[in-house]
Amino acid sequence: GPADFYQFGISPEGEAEQAAERAVAEGYTRGVVLVSNDDFGTRLFNAFSARFKQLGGQLLGVKAFAPGSEADAYSDMLAELFNLDASNARARHLAAILGTHLDFEPRRRRDLQFIFVAGSAADARTLQPQIAYNHGEDLPVYSTSRVYQLEDNVDNTVLDGISFDDMPWTLEDSGPVAELRRSVQHNWPTNFADNSRLYALGFDAYRLLPLLYNTHGISQAVPGVTGQLTLDADGRVHRGLDWAEFDDGSPE
């Protein structure tokens, strides 16, 4: 871009890349992806896949779903990804050979280490119980801030076990950032849920302006409400995010 041109935004691609980094950092290099078949899901998947493979990871399978799908549709996809259908087929074949009924529980493929979900909060609330139902209750599930819907009347307990990256503005429940967020929520209650993260973007943009145009750069990470802010050589501002896991419906 031209001189003194900077790019700063809430990039979903950046969140997906950090999810890939998180999985690999925790020792997981073989996973599957469930992605919504819309533009947003495609952007998340492409960013996650590229970064994950760059770090040496291997995707064992990918399934796309229509947003708002029924539980049965998710269950069918998971059964295929987990190789449960092949396990069931082997059991039926053995029962036919023996000529008797077998008490049988299908076995999930053992090389699978984690799941990445590139979808909305509504889809994740339907999907997460199906993961447990299909013998994936021990698998780590990663996602992005898209799974955390900022509304008080939403039941997030079904999301327990999902880890996601998000900004301090959203995750901190005490301290100056939390106080600022509560002040904004008090003053603009009707707009807060849908625009909360955009308010945070505005605060950090305002903070960055004098740093970028008076000093022409950021020499070290700047703690912002949208994350730890750093500047690359191309003038892009990157956000280092925090991580949380749903526990009893709350991000911890």
Side-chain angles (χ1 to χ4, degrees):
D4 294 327
F5 180 86
Y6 301 98
Q7 177 180 323
F8 174 48
I10 305 175
S11 166
E13 286 86 354
E15 296 184 9
E17 289 169 355
Q18 289 181 60
E21 293 165 2
R22 179 79 171 192
V24 173
E26 295 188 337
Y28 305 126
T29 56
R30 298 186 302 276
V32 296
V33 175
L34 290 162
V35 53
S36 58
N37 61 357
D38 54 15
D39 179 66
F40 207 93
T42 300
R43 292 171 62 187
L44 289 176
F45 169 71
N46 289 339
F48 176 87
S49 176
R51 184 59 176 149
F52 186 58
K53 292 176 181 177
Q54 185 181 51
L55 295 172
Q58 178 185 6
L59 288 182
L60 302 178
V62 179
K63 287 291 182 183
F65 59 83
S69 294
E70 298 294 330
D72 288 346
Y74 293 121
S75 185
D76 291 343
M77 288 189 301
L78 289 165
E80 187 172 346
L81 281 174
F82 293 173
N83 283 354
L84 297 178
D85 48 355
S87 183
N88 284 319
R90 288 192 297 270
R92 290 193 297 270
H93 179 66
L94 182 59
I97 292 175
L98 298 175
T100 184
H101 172 75
L102 299 176
D103 290 328
F104 170 76
E105 181 173 311
R107 295 183 60 186
R108 191 192 76 226
R109 62 186 302 171
R110 307 316 299 175
D111 57 346
L112 176 58
Q113 295 178 318
F114 76 94
I115 301 169
F116 176 65
V117 175
S120 69
D123 291 319
R125 281 193 289 271
T126 306
L127 176 59
Q128 180 70 345
Q130 293 304 312
I131 292 175
Y133 177 77
N134 284 278
H135 308 281
E137 63 278 352
D138 60 325
L139 289 171
V141 180
Y142 298 97
S143 191
T144 68
S145 67
R146 201 177 180 208
V147 299
Y148 186 26
Q149 191 171 348
L150 302 175
E151 294 183 8
D152 295 333
N153 60 347
V154 174
D155 179 17
N156 285 323
T157 55
V158 293
L159 298 177
D160 284 358
I162 295 181
S163 297
F164 66 100
D165 50 2
D166 208 339
M167 57 181 68
W169 172 268
T170 299
L171 297 178
E172 291 189 12
D173 55 10
S174 62
V177 175
E179 292 176 7
L180 181 60
R181 183 187 68 242
R182 283 191 284 267
S183 175
V184 172
Q185 185 175 16
H186 174 75
N187 285 291
W188 292 280
T190 59
N191 295 323
F192 182 78
D194 291 336
N195 298 303
S196 176
R197 294 181 175 92
L198 296 180
Y199 284 121
L201 178 66
F203 276 113
D204 277 356
Y206 185 77
R207 184 177 188 183
L208 284 172
L209 281 172
L211 296 176
L212 294 173
Y213 288 100
N214 292 340
T215 64
H216 298 285
I218 302 173
S219 58
Q220 58 187 6
V222 175
V225 296
T226 63
Q228 291 287 320
L229 308 177
T230 56
L231 182 69
D232 68 19
D234 295 323
R236 294 184 179 90
V237 178
H238 298 273
R239 299 182 301 127
L241 299 170
D242 293 337
W243 277 87
E245 180 177 328
F246 284 106
D247 182 19
D248 197 24
S250 297
E252 300 293 339

